[in-house]
Amino acid sequence: MKKGFNLSIIGTGYVGLTTGVGFAYAGHRVICMDIDKEKVAKINAGETPVYEPGLLEGLRDAKKKNLIEATDDLEYAITNSDITFITVPTPEKKDGSCDLSFVEQVSKDIGRILREKEGYHVVAVKSTVIPETTERVVIPNLEEYSGKIPGEDFGVCVNPEFLREGSALRDFLKPDRIVIGELNTRSGDILEMLHRDFGAPILRTSLKVAEMIKYASNSFLATKISFANEIGNICKRLGIDVYEVMKGLGLDKRISPHFLRAGLGFGGSCFPKDVNALIHKAETLGYEPRLLKEVMKINQRQPYRIIDLLRKRLGSIKGREIAVLGLAFKPDTDDIREAVSIKVVSELLKSGAEVRAYDPKAVFNFRKLFPNITYCESARDALKGSDACLVLTEWPEFRELTDEDFSSMRERIIIEGGKALNPNRVKGFEGICW
Ligand code: UDX
């Protein structure tokens, strides 16, 4: 018996494809739409355009059950579905604001198709959009291009995602909460029914509050990380380990142990972009967001602390061979967007050092930015003959490295950003915050 809703997902990046595969896994019929014909062909061939644990298997399983397909035909997607999720990108503009051009265009296109469509269709915004976007951009476009009455003839919701790269599918299927911002009760009821089997608390609220929950969540997590790094920088001067300190904080239920890992700062396609967008929005509203600005300043400076420490230990780094272990912005992803490694490698090259880099997944993406550095097949290979080693990403495989692996270095200077190495296997290394 076919169970579930007919869904369309517009935009098949991390969020869109994970949402599509996740809902298909939950038994709903999903049409993924993307203007990128290559991506569409890949998905229909049972391949995922991005590396994400479990996503490939999930896609192939859903295809076998005939619960997912991809198309570049928006009309086909909308007319064959009851609920459409907007998951197009909202990149950062030069001034730090949120670029809504894709959201603007897709809401016009969907509106045009809804003009001819029967039935009560719900449009749910899942892209990360700055507060007021759905009321000021999406709904007016849907109304104007469909000629229909919002709420009465079609529904609108904001349904932010909180998934992390590297654990996206798991986060989608086991969310801490589901937030539904609704234009009216009817829209909210439909989206609540869709999520009824997820077994997570469902928070129903207004469109603008739902948009703000997303930005405030990411900004708070970013603030926790910059706080941990600030404390970490003080601990380094005290000669104590910030992780020991954070263990003490984390036992306090009001603080929780999560997102207190000090290191080189946060990267990725979300935190930097979202905090900057909220800062920009606050300023347009005439408010000076001093805390958020400091969160970004601390984060901007943090990666360079590993270079400062390297200079302190090695002296001039000009002409030195530096092994760089880890390029991805975090483990379990091939994503290098806003990765701290970009800043660190740029600074090393600017200072005349030779870089021997290794990463289990992200070399393909990193080589596009840095074609002229040496890429090694393994961490052990990168260490050979190097004058120093910087560990930038906490890939689990780095915990397997031993003293013997580091004995191939010319000089034994080993500095880690986060906690990546195993002190039971390797002696004589240090961290920027311990
Ligand atoms: C983040 C949010 O976690 C997720 O809810 C949202 O939907 C998208 O943005 P993501 O960017 O994939 O997810 O990665 P996350 O695991 O949150 O890490 C972000 C950055 O913070 C990484 O660079 C990571 O290394 C860093 N980080 C994370 C720390 O430095 N310390 C921590 O304790 C946690």
Side-chain angles (χ1 to χ4, degrees):
M1 200 278 297
K2 186 165 79 60
K3 173 176 152 288
F5 285 79
N6 293 318
L7 309 176
S8 49
I9 316 276
I10 317 305
T12 60
Y14 268 97
V15 173
L17 190 55
T18 303
T19 302
V21 170
F23 276 129
Y25 181 83
H28 303 287
R29 179 120 184 60
V30 175
I31 302 172
C32 289
M33 187 275 168
D34 202 295
I35 50 175
D36 182 333
K37 292 185 185 341
E38 221 181 289
K39 269 190 185 170
V40 168
K42 258 198 164 178
I43 295 168
N44 284 333
E47 299 298 330
T48 54
V50 290
Y51 166 75
E52 182 59 41
L55 198 59
L56 185 63
E57 299 74 13
L59 172 65
R60 290 182 176 167
D61 181 55
K63 278 181 64 62
K64 242 187 272 141
K65 295 177 183 150
N66 197 19
L67 285 174
I68 195 165
E69 63 176 304
T71 179
D72 61 355
D73 180 345
L74 183 63
E75 183 156 357
Y76 171 80
I78 304 291
T79 46
N80 291 286
S81 60
D82 313 308
I83 304 175
T84 293
F85 284 90
I86 294 178
T87 53
V88 295
T90 52
E92 181 174 345
K93 286 205 264 187
K94 284 210 173 40
D95 63 2
S97 66
C98 182
D99 178 352
L100 296 172
S101 57
F102 297 105
V103 170
E104 179 114 22
Q105 188 55 51
V106 78
S107 54
K108 291 177 180 169
D109 298 340
I110 294 171
R112 216 172 273 121
I113 296 160
L114 287 184
R115 181 175 286 275
E116 309 305 328
K117 187 168 186 287
E118 299 291 315
Y120 193 84
H121 197 97
V122 174
V123 176
V125 178
K126 193 178 268 296
S127 298
T128 302
V129 292
I130 206 69
E132 300 184 317
T133 299
T134 305
E135 282 157 318
R136 292 194 176 174
V137 176
V138 177
I139 293 174
N141 282 337
L142 290 172
E143 180 173 13
E144 182 190 339
Y145 286 79
S146 71
K148 293 184 173 179
I149 304 167
E152 207 170 295
D153 300 328
F154 63 86
V156 179
C157 286
V158 169
N159 178 225
E161 54 68 31
F162 302 98
L163 50 88
R164 291 163 294 169
E165 290 181 32
S167 59
L169 197 52
R170 196 179 59 227
D171 291 349
F172 180 86
L173 294 171
K174 294 212 172 330
D176 289 337
R177 82 290 207 195
I178 291 164
V179 174
I180 298 176
E182 60 197 42
L183 172 60
N184 60 3
T185 309
R186 184 174 180 186
S187 306
D189 288 349
I190 292 169
L191 227 67
E192 178 159 359
M193 259 195 300
L194 172 64
H195 288 90
R196 65 176 177 268
D197 301 334
F198 280 69
I202 294 182
L203 175 65
R204 298 213 8 203
T205 181
S206 72
L207 297 167
K208 211 183 315 186
V209 169
E211 291 163 333
M212 190 56 175
I213 288 173
K214 174 63 188 180
Y215 278 89
S217 299
N218 275 0
S219 298
F220 181 72
L221 293 170
T223 304
K224 271 188 106 171
I225 296 167
S226 280
F227 172 81
N229 289 335
E230 179 122 296
I231 299 296
N233 298 338
I234 300 169
C235 287
K236 182 69 181 176
R237 285 160 177 73
L238 287 166
I240 59 177
D241 183 344
V242 66
Y243 277 64
E244 288 299 307
V245 173
M246 289 306 165
K247 230 185 256 160
L249 271 73
L251 292 168
D252 185 325
K253 290 186 190 56
R254 298 166 300 171
I255 300 174
S256 105
H258 305 298
F259 276 63
L260 288 175
R261 293 197 322 276
L264 292 164
F266 54 81
S269 59
C270 296
F271 285 175
K273 167 177 82 82
D274 294 347
V275 178
N276 283 336
L278 188 55
I279 289 170
H280 185 275
K281 181 70 179 181
E283 288 173 338
T284 62
L285 295 166
Y287 176 77
E288 169 68 6
R290 287 188 295 162
L291 173 63
L292 296 179
K293 284 186 168 180
E294 283 309 318
V295 165
M296 290 309 289
K297 277 198 202 130
I298 292 167
N299 198 60
Q300 188 63 24
R301 175 84 184 80
Q302 200 64 10
Y304 299 101
R305 293 185 189 286
I306 202 167
I307 303 278
D308 299 347
L309 199 50
L310 178 64
R311 283 206 173 92
K312 213 166 164 187
R313 303 290 181 245
L314 195 59
S316 162
I317 53 182
K318 188 170 173 49
R320 298 299 203 123
E321 294 258 349
I322 311 297
V324 170
L325 303 185
L327 301 170
F329 86 94
K330 64 176 201 175
D332 298 324
T333 178
D334 61 358
D335 199 341
I336 61 161
R337 287 177 287 180
E338 299 293 325
V340 295
S341 56
I342 295 171
K343 291 187 183 115
V344 173
V345 169
S346 303
E347 191 63 23
L348 287 173
L349 295 177
K350 222 166 53 188
S351 312
E354 300 291 324
V355 173
R356 298 170 54 78
Y358 168 71
D359 187 284
K361 292 284 178 192
V363 166
F364 176 79
N365 290 330
F366 205 78
R367 201 191 286 275
K368 292 177 198 158
L369 289 181
F370 297 91
N372 303 322
I373 66 173
T374 306
Y375 292 96
C376 303
E377 291 305 312
S378 68
R380 290 173 186 78
D381 183 22
L383 291 169
K384 282 199 194 94
S386 62
D387 298 303
C389 168
L390 304 181
V391 188
L392 305 183
T393 314
E394 300 144 63
W395 283 99
E397 69 170 72
F398 296 155
R399 292 195 72 75
E400 308 307 316
L401 292 170
T402 64
D403 270 328
E404 202 220 321
D405 297 320
F406 288 94
S407 63
S408 67
M409 298 175 69
R410 204 165 30 219
E411 279 200 53
R412 196 184 171 85
I413 292 171
I414 310 165
I415 307 171
E416 54 178 6
K419 290 263 179 179
L421 303 175
N422 183 341
N424 303 324
R425 292 170 186 264
V426 185
K427 299 285 173 281
F429 65 90
E430 65 180 310
I432 66 166
C433 293
W434 52 90

